[in-house]
């Protein structure tokens, strides 16, 4: 999705806002306590240490958050016209593994090489406990020739002409993530008929959990906005880039006033126009976030 396209949603989002408001209010009485806990769990430190120590304080993974933004609340499936979310979810897997200190980009060296030229390396082969993350980690660990982040997004998506790399493809990612959301009582499972075929859907049952993700995305560009991205919460920064790459970020802005909507889209454009190589080379930066963002910026 192009950055300028976000401004085109100024009128359409009002319909989305009404639907989101109705869905949230219908489930608020049933899940207020759970939603409050989710909001606290989803708020982590700028360095990502809450996620890294794996004490269970982060309830949803980045992949689940991106999928949740893309899922239609009542219908329980993503838009049939969205062909970006699949690769976006693979990028989320790489960043999630980096935040959990399982993988990283190789050091830039004295020449300060670009993000594209730095390969993904395995820091630890200790399993995470999440099936998708562990499967991706095994692929990265077992590969003979290290590849960059862009290549790994392609490999995990199955978008490669090299038949030897097809074994790295992660299959049924959306369905597996949806089942994880069901296990966490965020969604439920139903069967829906589309005349010529039946499809398993996952309607939202915990509106507060999705609302917590939406508010975090909004707050990152409003009340908690930092002009220096290095001071931003890493997980929230990654969510913004991944949601934009997956063409679902607009879903997080539907409830905003026109003034706030213009403000957040303007600030999001600022982030997208940054020099990703320069940001990724700064001390303390999570290079994987910027490498994934650059891969989708092309």
């Amino acid at each position: 999705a192009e950055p300028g396209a976000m401004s085109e949603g100024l009128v359409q989002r009002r319909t989305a806002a009404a639907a989101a408001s109705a869905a949230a209010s219908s489930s608020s009485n049933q899940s207020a306590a759970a939603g409050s806990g989710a909001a606290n769990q989803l708020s982590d430190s700028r360095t990502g240490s809450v996620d890294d120590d794996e004490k269970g304080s982060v309830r949803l993974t980045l992949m689940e958050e991106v999928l949740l933004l893309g899922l239609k609340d009542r219908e329980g499936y993503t838009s049939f016209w969205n062909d970006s979310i699949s690769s976006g979810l693979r990028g989320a897997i790489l960043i999630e593994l980096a935040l959990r200190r399982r993988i990283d980009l190789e050091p830039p060296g004295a020449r300060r090489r670009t993000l594209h030229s730095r390969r993904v390396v395995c820091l630890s082969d200790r399993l995470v406990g999440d099936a998708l993350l562990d499967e991706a980690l095994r692929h990265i660990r077992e590969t003979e020739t290290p590849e960059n982040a862009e290549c790994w997004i392609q490999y995990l998506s199955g978008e490669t002409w090299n038949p030897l790399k097809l074994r790295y493809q992660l299959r049924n990612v959306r369905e597996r993530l949806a089942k994880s959301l069901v296990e966490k009582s965020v969604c439920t499972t139903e069967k829906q008929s589309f005349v010529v075929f039946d499809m398993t859907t996952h309607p939202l049952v915990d509106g507060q959990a999705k609302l917590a993700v939406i508010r975090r995305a909004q707050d990152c560009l409003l009340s908690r906005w930092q002009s220096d991205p290095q001071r931003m919460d890493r997980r929230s920064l990654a969510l913004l880039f991944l949601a934009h790459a997956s063409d679902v970020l607009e879903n997080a802005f539907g409830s905003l006033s026109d003034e706030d909507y213009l403000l957040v889209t303007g600030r999001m454009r600022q982030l997208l126009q940054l020099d990703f190589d320069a940001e990724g080379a700064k001390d303390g930066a999570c290079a994987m976030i910027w490498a994934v963002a650059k891969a989708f910026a092309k």
Side-chain angles (χ1 to χ4, degrees):
E2 294 296 328
M6 291 186 291
S7 60
E8 299 176 1
L10 195 56
V11 176
Q12 297 148 335
R13 69 190 180 84
R14 292 193 175 98
T15 303
S21 177
S25 61
S26 64
S27 59
S28 60
N29 292 334
Q30 300 175 2
S31 56
S36 177
N40 292 332
Q41 292 166 341
L42 286 165
S43 176
D44 57 14
S45 68
R46 179 179 63 85
T47 61
S49 59
V50 173
D51 182 63
D52 296 338
D53 63 21
E54 299 180 17
K55 294 180 179 178
S57 56
V58 177
R59 186 185 184 195
L60 301 179
T61 64
L62 283 170
M63 304 90 73
E64 292 166 344
E65 290 177 340
V66 171
L67 181 64
L68 197 54
L69 287 178
L71 281 177
K72 300 176 183 292
D73 293 355
R74 295 183 180 179
E75 294 87 345
Y77 53 84
T78 58
S79 171
F80 294 131
W81 310 109
N82 189 337
D83 57 357
S84 303
I85 195 169
S86 292
S87 57
L89 291 173
R90 272 65 174 190
I93 290 173
L94 293 181
I95 295 178
E96 188 74 46
L97 285 172
L99 291 177
R100 296 180 184 232
R101 297 176 183 167
R102 297 305 194 276
I103 63 174
D104 199 357
L105 297 186
E106 61 185 353
R111 294 184 180 181
R112 289 290 182 182
R113 292 178 297 169
T114 63
L115 293 169
H116 182 77
S117 64
R118 295 168 62 183
R119 310 306 185 195
V120 177
V121 294
C122 185
L123 299 180
S124 171
D125 58 2
R126 184 164 55 93
L127 297 181
V128 176
D130 178 281
L132 275 174
L133 294 176
D134 288 340
E135 185 178 348
L137 181 60
R138 282 194 294 269
H139 290 327
I140 295 172
R141 181 186 61 199
E142 294 170 1
T143 185
E144 295 181 359
T145 305
E147 302 283 3
N148 61 27
E150 183 178 0
C151 286
W152 271 113
I153 292 173
Q154 294 172 352
Y155 294 163
L156 297 177
S157 303
E159 299 175 357
T160 175
W161 294 102
N162 188 341
L164 299 178
K165 304 296 184 180
L166 289 175
R167 61 192 179 95
Y168 295 141
Q169 181 181 3
L170 299 179
R171 301 182 182 277
N172 304 316
V173 169
R174 267 181 275 190
E175 182 63 23
R176 292 160 73 179
L177 289 173
K179 288 181 178 179
S180 179
L181 289 172
V182 172
E183 293 173 358
K184 294 178 179 181
S185 301
V186 176
C187 296
T188 188
T189 301
E190 294 181 356
K191 286 284 187 180
Q192 188 166 343
S193 175
F194 288 87
V195 183
V196 295
F197 66 94
D198 292 336
M199 185 175 75
T200 301
T201 60
H202 302 279
L204 184 70
V205 293
D206 185 356
Q208 294 299 322
K210 182 171 183 176
L211 189 60
V213 179
I214 291 174
R215 284 177 174 169
R216 189 155 60 87
Q218 293 177 356
D219 290 345
C220 194
L221 294 170
L222 289 172
S223 61
R224 293 190 290 116
W225 167 251
Q226 300 283 348
S227 56
D228 179 5
Q230 299 300 332
R231 299 174 60 190
M232 295 175 69
D233 163 46
R234 285 181 173 182
R235 182 168 288 274
S236 297
L237 178 65
L239 176 63
L240 292 176
F241 281 132
L242 292 167
H244 179 267
S246 303
D247 198 19
V248 299
L249 184 58
E250 185 72 22
N251 298 343
F253 298 157
S255 61
L256 294 174
S257 66
D258 289 351
E259 182 180 359
D260 284 345
Y261 178 81
L262 292 174
L263 184 59
V264 298
T265 52
R267 286 174 172 173
M268 190 63 207
R269 277 193 293 271
Q270 291 181 37
L271 291 177
L272 295 170
Q273 291 168 359
L274 290 170
D275 184 337
F276 296 151
D277 286 309
E279 296 296 331
K282 290 181 178 179
D283 292 338
C286 179
M288 187 65 70
I289 294 177
W290 299 102
V292 171
K294 184 175 181 178
F296 288 123
K298 293 185 176 181

